[in-house]
Amino acid sequence: MPRADFYLIDKPRFREDPLLLVCELAKRAFGAQQPTLILTRDFEQAEAIDEYLWAFDEDAYIPHQLAGDEQDDDTAVLIVPPGVETRDRPLVINLRDTCAPGQFDRVLEVVAADPAEREGSRARWTQYKQAGFEVTKHDM
């Protein structure tokens, strides 16, 4: 059964810097050898995550790149802005306002503390449950 895990940002360090949580999740996925897609809201967010993955932890190296070239299949973490097609992967970190498309075993929904974001996450929660996902919540 596929899983959808909702990471609700609440702790001050993630409230101030939500992309830190995305990087931490990508680091864990890489450590578990899980090929990962990070679905971003827009190209600017994709670029910001690309830069952040290089700098957020001086002791970590997470092979990553923006999706869209011939090395996509060989890169552990692909950062995917809207409009870029990629192959499905077992793990997806979703930052978009809609449910993650494609076939995957697990999706991590990162939800900011903003009330409007929380409302959108409730709709996605329901959609994942209706699609047969096991859904869980984590307060971060």
Side-chain angles (χ1 to χ4, degrees):
M1 169 183 281
R3 278 180 51 184
D5 291 280
F6 283 74
Y7 288 84
L8 305 177
I9 293 175
D10 193 39
K11 294 179 181 172
R13 74 182 197 135
F14 295 132
R15 274 182 182 261
E16 295 167 13
D17 192 1
L19 293 185
L20 177 59
L21 177 57
V22 175
C23 291
E24 291 287 342
L25 294 172
K27 178 181 170 182
R28 283 191 220 165
F30 177 66
Q33 299 180 339
Q34 284 287 307
T36 303
L37 297 177
I38 300 176
L39 304 179
T40 64
R41 293 177 188 269
D42 53 38
F43 188 75
E44 290 76 22
Q45 186 180 53
E47 287 182 317
I49 291 169
D50 180 42
E51 291 296 319
Y52 209 159
L53 281 170
W54 289 115
F56 88 102
D57 182 342
E58 64 186 38
D59 296 325
Y61 170 69
I62 303 163
H64 68 281
Q65 70 179 31
L66 294 174
D69 73 24
E70 67 278 352
Q71 296 174 355
D72 283 0
D73 290 341
D74 300 325
T75 304
V77 176
L78 279 182
I79 305 163
V80 186
V84 177
E85 296 295 320
T86 61
R87 289 187 188 188
D88 292 336
R89 295 215 170 170
L91 180 65
V92 174
I93 299 172
N94 189 32
L95 305 177
R96 297 182 184 168
D97 294 329
T98 58
C99 288
Q103 299 294 314
F104 47 85
D105 299 328
R106 188 172 177 203
V107 60
L108 310 179
E109 290 276 339
V110 176
V111 183
D114 179 79
E117 288 233 9
R118 296 286 169 105
E119 189 61 37
S121 73
R122 289 182 186 95
R124 292 192 305 281
W125 178 290
T126 300
Q127 290 171 334
Y128 286 122
K129 283 203 66 94
Q130 290 173 345
F133 283 68
E134 177 186 338
V135 183
T136 58
K137 175 181 81 97
H138 308 274
D139 291 318
M140 301 301 290

